[in-house]
């Protein structure tokens, strides 16, 4: 959803959450937990962790940075000027988002609308033709 910040008149796009990965993990892990508890329990816990993250985290694309919020609290800002590269892995079934800044790399599970994520990335951080 794209909104205009009333204070700064800056356009901000907030990505809708996607529960696909957490619910798929939990659904697949429950039968696994019955057959192989040592394998199923950690996968179930990871799925529950991702579900919690999906509910509480918000990604906002502003005109200058990707902002990550937990509820109403800004927890991290990633200015586009520092980005060198980005990639969404497994485009048919997107599960992982990678981006590299000047000083660090980041991997995030796709717990947001993958089509909107790609659209925002292409708008705010177009790839160089040489990448």
């Amino acid at each position: 959803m794209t909104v205009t910040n009333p204070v700064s008149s800056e356009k901000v796009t907030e990505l809708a959450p996607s529960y696909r990965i957490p619910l798929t993990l939990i659904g697949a892990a429950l039968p696994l937990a019955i057959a192989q508890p040592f394998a199923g329990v950690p996968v179930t816990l990871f799925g529950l962790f991702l579900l919690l993250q999906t509910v509480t985290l918000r990604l906002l694309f502003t005109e200058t940075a990707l902002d990550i919020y937990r509820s109403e609290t800004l927890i991290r800002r990633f200015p586009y000027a520092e980005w060198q590269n980005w990639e969404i892995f497994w485009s048919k079934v997107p599960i992982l988002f990678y981006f590299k800044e000047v000083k660090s790399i980041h991997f995030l599970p796709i717990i947001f609308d993958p089509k909107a994520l790609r659209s925002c990335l292409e708008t705010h951080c177009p790839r160089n033709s040489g990448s």
Side-chain angles (χ1 to χ4, degrees):
M1 159 182 29
T2 301
V3 296
T4 301
N5 184 337
V7 175
S8 68
S9 74
E10 176 181 51
K11 289 190 180 198
V12 176
T13 302
E14 179 177 344
L15 297 185
S18 171
Y19 298 94
R20 186 178 43 88
I21 292 175
L23 294 179
T24 300
L25 279 173
I26 293 167
L30 291 177
L32 181 61
I34 294 168
Q36 294 289 328
F38 289 113
V41 170
V43 174
T44 302
L45 291 173
F46 183 61
L48 290 171
F49 169 75
L50 286 180
L51 184 61
L52 176 67
Q53 296 300 319
T54 304
V55 169
T56 60
L57 292 181
R58 294 289 166 257
L59 258 61
L60 279 77
F61 283 86
T62 68
E63 292 179 8
T64 58
L66 168 63
D67 293 344
I68 300 179
Y69 282 83
R70 177 166 284 118
S71 299
E72 300 297 320
T73 306
L74 176 66
I75 57 173
R76 191 77 194 264
R77 175 166 281 145
F78 298 101
Y80 305 131
E82 296 180 8
W83 289 40
Q84 294 182 326
N85 192 20
W86 62 266
E87 184 70 43
I88 295 176
F89 291 106
W90 301 289
S91 59
K92 294 202 188 287
V93 183
I95 61 170
L96 192 62
F97 166 47
Y98 153 85
F99 67 99
K100 181 179 183 205
E101 291 183 292
V102 174
K103 295 182 182 179
S104 60
I105 62 172
H106 307 278
F107 290 93
L108 300 170
I110 305 277
I111 56 175
F112 307 97
D113 177 8
K115 289 179 183 176
L117 174 63
R118 179 174 296 281
S119 175
C120 287
L121 289 168
E122 289 171 350
T123 298
H124 297 287
C125 301
R127 295 184 196 200
N128 296 335
S129 58
S131 302

